[in-house]
Coordinates of all heavy atoms in Angstrom, one line a residue:
Y407 N 89.1 12.0 -0.6 CA 88.4 11.2 -1.6 C 87.6 10.1 -0.9 O 87.8 9.8 0.3 CB 89.4 10.5 -2.5 CG 90.4 11.5 -3.1 CD1 91.7 11.5 -2.7 CD2 90.1 12.3 -4.1 CE1 92.7 12.4 -3.2 CE2 91.0 13.2 -4.7 CZ 92.3 13.2 -4.2 OH 93.2 14.1 -4.8
E408 N 86.6 9.6 -1.6 CA 85.8 8.5 -1.1 C 86.6 7.3 -1.0 O 87.7 7.2 -1.6 CB 84.6 8.3 -2.1 CG 83.6 9.4 -2.2 CD 82.4 9.1 -3.0 OE1 82.3 7.9 -3.4 OE2 81.6 9.9 -3.4
V409 N 86.1 6.3 -0.2 CA 86.9 5.1 0.0 C 87.2 4.3 -1.3 O 88.2 3.8 -1.5 CB 86.1 4.2 1.0 CG1 86.8 2.9 1.2 CG2 85.9 5.0 2.3
R410 N 86.2 4.3 -2.2 CA 86.4 3.5 -3.4 C 87.3 4.2 -4.3 O 87.8 3.6 -5.3 CB 85.0 3.3 -4.1 CG 84.3 4.6 -4.4 CD 83.0 4.3 -5.2 NE 82.3 5.5 -5.4 CZ 81.3 5.6 -6.3 NH1 81.0 4.5 -7.1 NH2 80.6 6.7 -6.5
F411 N 87.6 5.5 -4.1 CA 88.6 6.3 -5.0 C 89.8 6.7 -4.2 O 90.3 7.8 -4.3 CB 87.9 7.5 -5.5 CG 86.8 7.3 -6.5 CD1 85.5 7.6 -6.2 CD2 87.0 6.6 -7.7 CE1 84.4 7.3 -7.0 CE2 86.0 6.4 -8.6 CZ 84.7 6.7 -8.3
W412 N 90.3 5.8 -3.3 CA 91.4 6.1 -2.5 C 92.7 6.4 -3.3 O 93.6 7.0 -2.9 CB 91.7 4.9 -1.6 CG 92.0 3.6 -2.3 CD1 91.1 2.7 -2.7 CD2 93.2 3.1 -2.8 NE1 91.7 1.6 -3.4 CE2 93.0 1.9 -3.5 CE3 94.6 3.6 -2.8 CZ2 94.0 1.2 -4.1 CZ3 95.6 2.9 -3.4 CH2 95.3 1.7 -4.0
Y413 N 92.7 5.9 -4.6 CA 93.9 6.0 -5.4 C 93.8 7.3 -6.3 O 94.7 7.5 -7.1 CB 93.9 4.8 -6.4 CG 92.7 4.7 -7.2 CD1 92.5 5.4 -8.4 CD2 91.6 3.9 -6.8 CE1 91.4 5.3 -9.2 CE2 90.5 3.8 -7.6 CZ 90.3 4.5 -8.7 OH 89.2 4.4 -9.5
W414 N 92.8 8.2 -6.1 CA 92.6 9.3 -7.0 C 93.8 10.3 -7.0 O 94.1 11.0 -7.9 CB 91.3 10.0 -6.7 CG 90.9 10.9 -7.9 CD1 91.0 12.2 -8.0 CD2 90.3 10.4 -9.1 NE1 90.5 12.6 -9.1 CE2 90.0 11.6 -9.9 CE3 89.9 9.2 -9.6 CZ2 89.4 11.5 -11.1 CZ3 89.3 9.1 -10.8 CH2 89.1 10.3 -11.6
E415 N 94.5 10.4 -5.8 CA 95.6 11.3 -5.8 C 96.7 10.8 -6.7 O 97.5 11.7 -7.3 CB 96.2 11.3 -4.3 CG 97.3 12.3 -4.1 CD 96.7 13.8 -4.2 OE1 95.5 14.0 -4.1 OE2 97.6 14.7 -4.5
L416 N 96.8 9.6 -7.0 CA 97.8 9.1 -8.0 C 97.4 9.6 -9.4 O 98.3 10.0 -10.2 CB 97.9 7.6 -8.0 CG 98.3 6.9 -6.7 CD1 98.3 5.4 -6.8 CD2 99.8 7.3 -6.4
T417 N 96.2 9.6 -9.7 CA 95.7 10.2 -11.0 C 96.0 11.7 -11.1 O 96.4 12.2 -12.2 CB 94.3 9.9 -11.3 OG1 93.5 10.6 -10.3 CG2 94.0 8.4 -11.2
E418 N 95.9 12.4 -10.0 CA 96.2 13.8 -10.0 C 97.7 14.0 -10.2 O 98.1 14.9 -10.9 CB 95.7 14.4 -8.7 CG 94.3 14.7 -8.6 CD 93.8 15.7 -9.6 OE1 94.4 16.9 -9.6 OE2 92.9 15.5 -10.4
M419 N 98.5 13.2 -9.5 CA 99.9 13.3 -9.7 C 100.3 13.0 -11.2 O 101.2 13.6 -11.7 CB 100.7 12.4 -8.8 CG 100.5 12.7 -7.3 SD 101.3 14.4 -6.9 CE 99.8 15.4 -6.7
L420 N 99.7 12.0 -11.8 CA 99.9 11.7 -13.2 C 99.6 12.8 -14.1 O 100.3 13.1 -15.0 CB 99.2 10.4 -13.5 CG 99.3 9.9 -15.0 CD1 100.8 9.6 -15.3 CD2 98.5 8.7 -15.2
R421 N 98.4 13.5 -13.8 CA 98.0 14.6 -14.6 C 99.0 15.7 -14.5 O 99.4 16.3 -15.5 CB 96.7 15.1 -14.1 CG 96.1 16.3 -14.9 CD 94.8 16.8 -14.3 NE 95.0 17.3 -13.0 CZ 95.4 18.6 -12.7 NH1 95.6 19.4 -13.7 NH2 95.5 19.0 -11.4
K422 N 99.5 16.0 -13.3 CA 100.5 17.1 -13.2 C 101.8 16.7 -13.8 O 102.5 17.6 -14.4 CB 100.7 17.4 -11.7 CG 99.4 17.9 -11.0 CD 99.6 18.1 -9.5 CE 98.3 18.6 -8.8 NZ 98.5 18.7 -7.4
L423 N 102.2 15.5 -13.7 CA 103.4 15.0 -14.4 C 103.3 15.2 -15.9 O 104.3 15.7 -16.5 CB 103.7 13.6 -14.1 CG 104.9 12.9 -14.7 CD1 106.2 13.6 -14.2 CD2 105.0 11.4 -14.4
L424 N 102.2 14.9 -16.5 CA 102.0 15.0 -17.9 C 102.0 16.5 -18.3 O 102.6 16.9 -19.3 CB 100.7 14.4 -18.4 CG 100.6 12.9 -18.2 CD1 99.2 12.4 -18.6 CD2 101.7 12.2 -19.1
M425 N 101.4 17.3 -17.5 CA 101.3 18.7 -17.8 C 102.6 19.5 -17.7 O 102.9 20.4 -18.4 CB 100.2 19.4 -17.0 CG 98.8 18.9 -17.2 SD 98.2 19.3 -18.9 CE 98.1 21.1 -18.7
T426 N 103.4 19.1 -16.7 CA 104.6 19.8 -16.4 C 105.9 19.2 -17.0 O 106.9 19.9 -17.1 CB 104.8 20.0 -14.9 OG1 104.9 18.7 -14.3 CG2 103.7 20.7 -14.3
S427 N 105.9 17.9 -17.3 CA 107.2 17.3 -17.7 C 107.1 16.7 -19.1 O 107.9 17.0 -20.0 CB 107.5 16.2 -16.7 OG 107.7 16.7 -15.4
L428 N 106.0 16.0 -19.4 CA 106.0 15.3 -20.7 C 105.7 16.2 -21.8 O 106.4 16.1 -22.9 CB 104.9 14.2 -20.6 CG 104.8 13.4 -21.9 CD1 106.0 12.6 -22.1 CD2 103.6 12.4 -21.8
L429 N 104.9 17.2 -21.6 CA 104.6 18.2 -22.7 C 105.8 19.0 -23.1 O 105.8 19.6 -24.2 CB 103.4 19.1 -22.3 CG 102.0 18.4 -22.3 CD1 100.9 19.4 -21.8 CD2 101.7 17.8 -23.6
V430 N 106.7 19.1 -22.2 CA 107.9 19.9 -22.5 C 108.7 19.3 -23.7 O 109.3 20.1 -24.5 CB 108.8 20.0 -21.3 CG1 110.1 20.8 -21.6 CG2 108.1 20.7 -20.1
F431 N 108.6 18.0 -23.8 CA 109.4 17.3 -24.9 C 108.5 17.1 -26.1 O 109.0 16.4 -27.1 CB 109.9 16.0 -24.4 CG 110.8 16.2 -23.1 CD1 110.2 15.9 -21.9 CD2 112.1 16.6 -23.2 CE1 111.0 16.0 -20.7 CE2 112.9 16.8 -22.1 CZ 112.3 16.5 -20.8
V432 N 107.3 17.5 -26.1 CA 106.3 17.2 -27.2 C 106.0 18.6 -27.9 O 105.4 19.4 -27.3 CB 105.1 16.5 -26.8 CG1 104.1 16.3 -27.9 CG2 105.4 15.2 -26.1
Y433 N 106.4 18.7 -29.2 CA 106.1 19.9 -30.0 C 106.4 21.2 -29.2 O 105.6 22.0 -28.9 CB 104.6 19.9 -30.4 CG 104.1 18.7 -31.2 CD1 103.4 17.7 -30.6 CD2 104.5 18.6 -32.5 CE1 103.0 16.6 -31.3 CE2 104.1 17.5 -33.3 CZ 103.3 16.5 -32.7 OH 102.9 15.4 -33.4
D434 N 107.7 21.3 -28.9 CA 108.1 22.4 -28.0 C 107.9 23.7 -28.8 O 108.4 23.9 -29.9 CB 109.6 22.2 -27.7 CG 110.1 23.3 -26.7 OD1 109.2 23.9 -26.1 OD2 111.3 23.4 -26.6
G435 N 107.2 24.6 -28.1 CA 106.9 25.9 -28.7 C 105.9 26.0 -29.8 O 105.8 27.1 -30.4
E436 N 105.2 25.0 -30.0 CA 104.2 24.9 -31.1 C 102.8 24.9 -30.5 O 102.6 24.5 -29.3 CB 104.4 23.7 -32.0 CG 105.8 23.8 -32.7 CD 106.0 22.6 -33.7 OE1 105.0 21.9 -33.8 OE2 107.1 22.4 -34.2
P437 N 101.8 25.3 -31.3 CA 100.4 25.2 -30.8 C 100.0 23.8 -30.4 O 99.1 23.6 -29.6 CB 99.6 25.7 -32.0 CG 100.5 26.6 -32.8 CD 101.9 25.9 -32.6
A438 N 100.5 22.8 -31.1 CA 100.2 21.4 -30.7 C 100.5 21.1 -29.3 O 99.9 20.2 -28.6 CB 100.9 20.4 -31.6
Q439 N 101.5 21.7 -28.7 CA 101.9 21.5 -27.3 C 100.7 21.9 -26.4 O 100.4 21.2 -25.4 CB 103.2 22.2 -27.0 CG 103.7 21.9 -25.6 CD 105.0 22.7 -25.3 OE1 105.2 23.8 -25.9 NE2 105.8 22.1 -24.5
I440 N 100.2 23.1 -26.7 CA 99.1 23.6 -25.8 C 97.8 22.7 -26.1 O 97.0 22.5 -25.2 CB 98.8 25.1 -26.1 CG1 100.1 25.9 -25.8 CG2 97.6 25.6 -25.3 CD1 99.9 27.4 -26.1
A441 N 97.6 22.3 -27.3 CA 96.5 21.5 -27.7 C 96.5 20.2 -26.9 O 95.5 19.7 -26.4 CB 96.4 21.2 -29.2
G442 N 97.8 19.6 -26.7 CA 97.9 18.4 -25.9 C 97.5 18.6 -24.5 O 96.9 17.8 -23.8
G443 N 97.9 19.8 -23.9 CA 97.5 20.1 -22.6 C 96.0 20.3 -22.4 O 95.4 19.9 -21.4
M444 N 95.4 20.8 -23.4 CA 93.9 21.0 -23.4 C 93.2 19.6 -23.4 O 92.2 19.4 -22.7 CB 93.5 21.8 -24.6 CG 93.9 23.3 -24.5 SD 93.4 24.2 -26.0 CE 91.6 24.0 -26.0
V445 N 93.8 18.7 -24.2 CA 93.2 17.4 -24.3 C 93.3 16.7 -22.9 O 92.3 16.1 -22.4 CB 93.9 16.5 -25.3 CG1 93.4 15.1 -25.3 CG2 93.6 17.1 -26.7
I446 N 94.4 16.7 -22.3 CA 94.6 16.1 -20.9 C 93.7 16.8 -19.9 O 93.0 16.1 -19.1 CB 96.1 16.3 -20.5 CG1 97.0 15.5 -21.4 CG2 96.3 15.8 -19.1 CD1 98.5 15.7 -21.2
T447 N 93.6 18.1 -19.9 CA 92.7 18.7 -19.0 C 91.2 18.4 -19.2 O 90.5 18.2 -18.3 CB 92.9 20.3 -19.1 OG1 94.3 20.6 -18.9 CG2 92.1 21.0 -18.1
F448 N 90.8 18.3 -20.5 CA 89.5 18.0 -20.8 C 89.1 16.6 -20.3 O 88.0 16.4 -19.8 CB 89.2 18.1 -22.3 CG 87.8 17.8 -22.7 CD1 86.8 18.7 -22.5 CD2 87.5 16.6 -23.3 CE1 85.5 18.4 -22.9 CE2 86.2 16.2 -23.7 CZ 85.2 17.1 -23.5
V449 N 90.0 15.6 -20.5 CA 89.8 14.3 -20.0 C 89.6 14.2 -18.5 O 88.7 13.6 -18.0 CB 90.9 13.3 -20.5 CG1 90.8 12.0 -19.8 CG2 90.9 13.2 -22.0
C450 N 90.4 15.0 -17.8 CA 90.3 15.1 -16.4 C 89.0 15.7 -15.9 O 88.4 15.3 -14.9 CB 91.5 15.8 -15.8 SG 93.1 15.0 -16.0
I451 N 88.5 16.7 -16.7 CA 87.2 17.4 -16.3 C 86.1 16.4 -16.5 O 85.2 16.2 -15.6 CB 87.0 18.6 -17.2 CG1 88.0 19.7 -16.9 CG2 85.6 19.1 -17.1 CD1 87.9 20.9 -17.9
V452 N 86.1 15.6 -17.6 CA 85.1 14.6 -17.8 C 85.1 13.5 -16.7 O 84.1 13.1 -16.1 CB 85.2 14.0 -19.2 CG1 84.2 12.8 -19.3 CG2 85.0 15.0 -20.2

Side-chain angles (χ1 to χ4, degrees):
Y407 308 104
E408 295 183 11
V409 176
R410 56 176 179 164
F411 295 113
W412 59 270
Y413 57 87
W414 198 258
E415 187 65 23
L416 297 177
T417 62
E418 281 295 305
M419 294 296 103
L420 179 61
R421 178 184 67 84
K422 295 175 182 179
L423 177 65
L424 294 176
M425 294 294 293
T426 58
S427 300
L428 183 62
L429 288 180
V430 176
F431 305 100
V432 178
Y433 301 105
D434 188 15
E436 297 183 7
Q439 187 179 29
I440 300 181
M444 291 177 62
V445 171
I446 296 173
T447 305
F448 180 77
V449 171
C450 293
I451 291 174
V452 173

